Amino acid sequence: MENYDVVVIGGGPAGLAAAAAAKRNGIERILIVERDQRLGGILNQCIHNGFGLHTFKEELTGPEYAQRFIDEIKALKIAYLLNTMVMDINEDKVITIMNADIGVVEISARALILAMGCRERPRGALNIPGYRPAGIFTAGTAQRLVNIEGYMPGREVVILGSGDIGLIMARRLTLEGAHVNVVCEIMAYSGGLKRNIVQCLNDFDIPLKLSHTVIDIKGRERIEGITIAEVDENRKPIKGSEEFYPCDTLLLSVGLIPENELSSKMNVTIDSITNGPIVSESFETNIDGVFACGNVLHVHDLVDYVSEESAAAGKNAAQFVKGLFVHRDEKQVIDVTAREGIAYTVPRTIQLNRMEDEQTIRFRVRDVYRDHYLSVYFDDQQVLHQKKKLMTPGEMEQVKIEKAKLQEHQGCKTIWIKVEKE
């Protein structure tokens, strides 16, 4: 069995940033395990710009952003395995991997970083009547077909769901000569960034129908058209609101699911809201020396935030290996709790004696809130009351907590985050 100080599962933006940070913090024996044939993850197929404004202070495409980190990994001489599947991980951080060159082998890690990313929710997770004809794709699959394989999935397109990938593909397919009839969203708000609605739909006169969903698919061999309908407050179709759209392609942009099957098998505690591990301020899970970062932790809207969180996870993994990491002390733990209007928080706990001078807490709201206040409480004492013009579930929010202020509130047990009207 080969032994490593840090093993990173996943060679996407999270894994690359975490591995680089671990190396910069003095760790030599690092291995990245990636199942694809190249490093970079999903960014390799995201050829649109808009990446890197926070991290590099310039606008990059997805492949350009990934290449910055790939170049760093190579310059730091960090080892990586491609075309390699992780079959199993146990609580002792023994990892079973497999590829065509080495067969099935076991490796061990003193610290483990989970950076497996996320996958798209497929059609099977949706209750849409009709046959199973050709021409139905997830938005990410269509993106790979167009941008990497050079294959157009269709010419007359309908998109169900308004996540960022779906919005971006509406523009991409239009630029390639397809006609995008409509984007429909079952919720009363879009699941994507405001800038993507403007740049990908409004700029190309593509209609967005909120509170609408697909209720029927016509076609047996190939999709011939779909019927959409408006839904009520219980998301049930309203009779008489049906509209039929002839099309040869239906794209599904209906949510992302963190890839945590391996995490669950090794008994990492999973958050029922995010479907990602529950982590502390150090991005450590409930298992000592096992850290999580990127979209495997919670689905991000900006890759810059992925890189920021992953670098922190890599640094803390390095501290763990070097014996400098402050271990768990329940007396120092402060719970971070989502209250009214907040879906979840990352992290879920802060251990005061290993907290940095400033801690970023990221979260999403449950609904659309206009002219509401974002409030933070240390136990029952309000410490932040900030008016926000607009908060939507599609855009991640964040607050920063100063360690000095938290220390002033001696004995604080819970940080509450909530949305308030006034």
Side-chain angles (χ1 to χ4, degrees), residues 319-347:
Q319 297 291 89
F320 181 90
V321 170
K322 293 190 292 185
L324 303 175
F325 191 68
V326 178
H327 290 285
R328 301 176 198 275
D329 181 358
E330 294 302 324
K331 294 179 182 178
Q332 295 279 336
V333 171
I334 300 169
D335 290 325
V336 183
T337 305
R339 291 291 295 269
E340 292 87 343
I342 306 296
Y344 69 87
T345 66
V346 172

Side-chain angles (χ1 to χ4, degrees), residues 242-254:
E242 299 87 353
E243 296 177 77
F244 179 77
Y245 287 88
C247 64
D248 58 20
T249 305
L250 174 64
L251 298 192
L252 305 177
S253 180
V254 290

Side-chain angles (χ1 to χ4, degrees), residues 23-42:
K23 186 65 179 280
R24 289 195 304 269
N25 281 275
I27 303 302
E28 290 300 323
R29 289 188 57 76
I30 302 172
L31 177 67
I32 301 171
V33 182
E34 169 56 45
R35 67 183 177 187
D36 205 350
Q37 61 186 350
R38 60 175 68 89
L39 295 174
I42 199 68

Side-chain angles (χ1 to χ4, degrees), residues 121-382:
R121 183 172 282 110
R123 180 192 170 164
L126 306 175
N127 187 23
I128 303 175
Y131 294 100
R132 299 293 186 265
I136 302 176
F137 304 87
T138 61
T141 298
Q143 186 180 56
R144 182 179 180 88
L145 289 173
V146 175
N147 293 346
I148 293 182
E149 308 296 337
Y151 172 80
M152 277 291 284
R155 292 293 173 182
E156 288 290 332
V157 183
V158 170
I159 300 176
L160 172 60
S162 59
D164 286 311
I165 307 174
L167 299 176
I168 288 164
M169 283 310 295
R171 175 180 63 184
R172 185 76 182 97
L173 290 171
T174 301
L175 292 172
E176 288 296 334
H179 175 232
V180 179
N181 291 271
V182 66
V183 177
C184 54
E185 167 61 57
I186 194 170
M187 304 300 288
Y189 51 81
S190 170
L193 293 169
K194 178 66 175 176
R195 74 181 190 198
N196 284 335
I197 297 172
V198 173
Q199 295 173 4
C200 300
L201 299 188
N202 297 352
D203 288 356
F204 292 88
D205 296 322
I206 299 170
L208 170 63
K209 287 182 175 286
L210 300 174
S211 299
H212 281 73
T213 192
V214 174
I215 62 169
D216 191 32
I217 296 172
K218 181 183 178 184
R220 299 192 74 164
E221 297 301 320
R222 174 86 191 192
I223 184 171
E224 298 171 7
I226 58 97
T227 301
I228 69 170
E230 189 175 358
V231 298
D232 59 22
E233 62 275 8
N234 298 314
R235 301 180 202 168
K236 300 295 183 184
I238 299 172
K239 196 169 183 179
S241 65
E242 299 87 353
E243 296 177 77
F244 179 77
Y245 287 88
C247 64
D248 58 20
T249 305
L250 174 64
L251 298 192
L252 305 177
S253 180
V254 290
L256 301 169
I257 304 170
E259 290 270 21
N260 275 298
E261 287 71 23
L262 289 169
S263 312
S264 298
K265 283 181 70 175
M266 65 181 299
N267 295 321
V268 168
T269 303
I270 302 296
D271 188 315
S272 61
I273 302 297
T274 63
N275 291 315
I278 292 175
V279 297
S280 67
E281 77 300 320
S282 305
F283 298 96
E284 188 184 34
T285 67
N286 59 299
I287 299 177
D288 291 344
V290 177
F291 301 82
C293 57
N295 282 352
V296 81
L297 179 59
H298 62 135
V299 176
H300 293 68
D301 45 18
L302 296 180
V303 73
D304 302 78
Y305 292 158
V306 168
S307 299
E308 178 187 315
E309 294 179 2
S310 302
K315 175 185 175 183
N316 288 313
Q319 297 291 89
F320 181 90
V321 170
K322 293 190 292 185
L324 303 175
F325 191 68
V326 178
H327 290 285
R328 301 176 198 275
D329 181 358
E330 294 302 324
K331 294 179 182 178
Q332 295 279 336
V333 171
I334 300 169
D335 290 325
V336 183
T337 305
R339 291 291 295 269
E340 292 87 343
I342 306 296
Y344 69 87
T345 66
V346 172
R348 282 275 295 274
T349 62
I350 292 175
Q351 187 166 313
L352 194 57
N353 62 341
R354 66 184 185 190
M355 175 184 173
E356 300 283 348
D357 291 339
E358 188 177 70
Q359 176 69 47
T360 300
I361 301 173
R362 293 197 167 100
F363 54 91
R364 291 184 189 269
V365 295
R366 291 186 177 275
D367 205 343
V368 175
Y369 297 98
R370 299 181 187 276
D371 296 320
H372 277 60
Y373 289 87
L374 185 60
S375 298
V376 177
Y377 291 79
F378 292 170
D379 288 331
D380 294 327
Q381 184 170 350
Q382 188 181 79

